[in-house]
Amino acid sequence: MSSRKAIGFLLTGLNTLACSCFGNYVFFLLQQEHGFGNRENLLTCALHGLLYVPAAWIGGRFAERHGQTTSLKVGFAAMAVAMVAGGLLNSFAGVMLTLVFWTIGMCFTWPALEAFATLGESGAGTKRMVGIYNVVWSGSAGLMYFAGGMIFERLGARSLFWIPAGLFAVQYALTVWLERQSHAPALPAVAEPHQPEDAAFHQPVPPQTFLKMAWLANPFAYIAIHSFLAVIPGRAAELGLSVSQSGWFWSVWFLARVGCFVLLWQWGGWHYRFRWMLAAFVALIAAYAVLLLGKSFAVLLTAQVVFGLATGLLYYSSLFYSMDVGETKSEHGGIHEAAIGLGICLGPAVGAAALYLAPTQPNAGAFGVTALLLVGLVGLVGLRVRR
């Protein structure tokens, strides 16, 4: 692995730590300092997703046209400024302004980092780099969720702004150094023509259809993920968990996703096999329902493992097919991220709407999102049977 690729993976890990610190624990801040319940947290998450969709699409196109390092500098600078502003504005308005500008800035980083990992790679190199990329970001996300509760309780809620601000500043400096070390301009490198792997051409449907199915399935995984993350403070209160204990307990599914990524990286038998995507989608729906409605810790732990495996395969499918099918990697990365944003918006929006429509039914949000996931399952099967 070249030193440039290694720096790219370092940036991926640091970006995940910073974004997870704020993005996952801001719901506890809103609960404790501003009286937010499940409905309000779900609406906040929906706003985040609504901004994410166009910003990710624009971010992917920007990186494709102006280069990954330029896009990264724009994103890291914007997120650092947003966090400093939020740390200084000790108010609800400060939190929301930070959320808005952090979301937009972040969307200039992920498409660029995804493309940077695979740019110029052969087919075998693409598989390897996607595998490393997924393990790095998912491992960093699991680590931060596990430790984030302790950070929140011991350093205070303001740490959700200052720790990411410092990490984003370090990332900006690393990107500038990376750009200066390269003799090439900050424009996208020209990769050799790339074709999908051989398995793609031995299926009843073409590789482009697998890409479309993955772009459909992954947003529904994020519908489940963010509908769940937004109500974890409420679930923690129901189960009698502190913020630290919640971080430890609910990090299990993050770790299961890391294990799934390692397995999928090393074993390619799932590539262009619809049955694996279908099984993961069905498992996602079942696990989500249990996570929102279950009461037993043992049952919830089991559901977390299944949830992590299912979301892992659906995410890996979307990113792998985005990088394996076609040449515009940054732009495909932007579409991959925009699809994620769609899921981040739709799931929490449906959950919040259900709670507003049925305020006396505390599980209305879980039922509404589960119904939405079933609609997604029908759509996935429809894409597969329509040759």
Side-chain angles (χ1 to χ4, degrees):
M1 184 192 302
S2 69
S3 59
R4 284 176 59 81
K5 293 283 186 180
I7 294 297
F9 289 129
L10 175 60
L11 291 172
T12 297
L14 292 175
N15 205 37
T16 305
L17 290 172
C19 291
S20 297
C21 181
F22 177 77
N24 289 333
Y25 281 92
V26 70
F27 300 116
F28 284 97
L29 183 153
L30 291 170
Q31 179 200 49
Q32 295 187 6
E33 294 192 358
H34 303 289
F36 274 34
N38 285 343
R39 290 187 305 183
E40 293 79 13
N41 272 340
L42 284 166
L43 282 176
T44 302
C45 192
L47 171 64
H48 167 58
L50 184 64
L51 295 168
Y52 201 105
V53 175
W57 184 75
I58 292 170
R61 291 174 64 86
F62 183 88
E64 190 68 38
R65 285 152 179 74
H66 300 283
Q68 282 82 44
T69 52
T70 300
S71 187
L72 289 173
K73 287 191 296 183
V74 170
F76 295 145
M79 289 191 288
V81 170
M83 290 297 155
V84 170
L88 295 175
L89 296 171
N90 192 8
S91 63
F92 174 70
V95 176
M96 299 310 293
L97 284 172
T98 300
L99 180 75
V100 169
F101 288 102
W102 163 72
T103 300
I104 295 171
M106 178 169 52
C107 292
F108 283 80
T109 62
W110 289 125
L113 288 169
E114 291 159 3
F116 191 85
T118 59
L119 197 64
E121 297 290 338
S122 63
T126 295
K127 296 175 192 175
R128 178 169 175 262
M129 292 304 167
V130 169
I132 296 172
Y133 174 85
N134 280 337
V135 171
V136 168
W137 80 257
S138 63
S140 300
L143 174 63
M144 180 51 73
Y145 204 87
F146 181 85
M150 293 183 290
I151 294 172
F152 185 95
E153 289 189 337
R154 295 180 183 180
L155 300 183
R158 294 298 102 188
S159 64
L160 299 188
F161 300 96
W162 295 116
I163 291 176
L167 290 173
F168 291 136
V170 169
Q171 289 173 270
Y172 183 88
L174 276 173
T175 305
V176 171
W177 178 85
L178 180 66
E179 191 175 48
R180 289 176 178 174
Q181 292 302 306
S182 173
H183 297 295
L187 293 173
V190 178
E192 295 181 1
H194 174 77
Q195 290 292 326
E197 63 178 53
D198 289 342
F201 302 103
H202 298 285
Q203 303 300 323
V205 294
Q208 289 78 11
T209 299
F210 277 93
L211 177 59
K212 292 176 183 177
M213 288 191 292
W215 280 349
L216 171 70
N218 194 42
F220 280 92
Y222 274 82
I223 282 173
I225 289 171
H226 281 267
S227 299
F228 173 50
L229 288 175
V231 301
I232 279 182
R235 287 252 64 195
E238 292 173 12
L239 297 169
L241 300 175
S242 67
V243 180
S244 293
Q245 292 169 337
S246 179
W248 301 334
F249 182 71
W250 297 116
S251 66
V252 170
W253 80 267
F254 285 92
L255 302 178
R257 184 172 61 181
V258 176
C260 179
F261 283 160
V262 172
L263 175 62
L264 298 178
W265 170 23
Q266 298 299 319
W267 175 67
W270 60 275
H271 294 173
Y272 299 100
R273 302 291 194 278
F274 175 71
R275 60 181 176 272
W276 287 101
M277 199 182 299
L278 178 64
F281 207 119
V282 172
L284 172 78
I285 297 172
Y288 173 79
V290 173
L291 289 175
L292 270 291
L293 303 175
K295 304 295 182 183
S296 164
F297 282 101
V299 171
L300 289 172
L301 284 172
T302 302
Q304 283 194 71
V305 172
V306 175
F307 193 71
L309 295 175
T311 55
L313 190 142
L314 295 177
Y315 177 90
Y316 209 127
S317 297
S318 180
L319 184 57
F320 174 76
Y321 296 138
S322 292
M323 299 297 109
D324 197 49
V325 180
E327 302 298 333
T328 55
K329 297 184 183 297
S330 293
E331 197 162 336
H332 272 191
I335 296 172
H336 161 80
E337 290 295 328
I340 287 174
L342 187 63
I344 295 172
C345 177
L346 281 179
V350 168
L355 287 171
Y356 275 107
L357 291 173
T360 60
Q361 173 52 264
N363 295 323
F367 296 146
V369 175
T370 300
L372 182 60
L373 293 175
L374 290 171
V375 172
L377 179 61
V378 173
L380 180 68
V381 174
L383 274 177
R384 173 61 181 80
V385 299
R386 189 182 64 186
R387 299 297 177 89

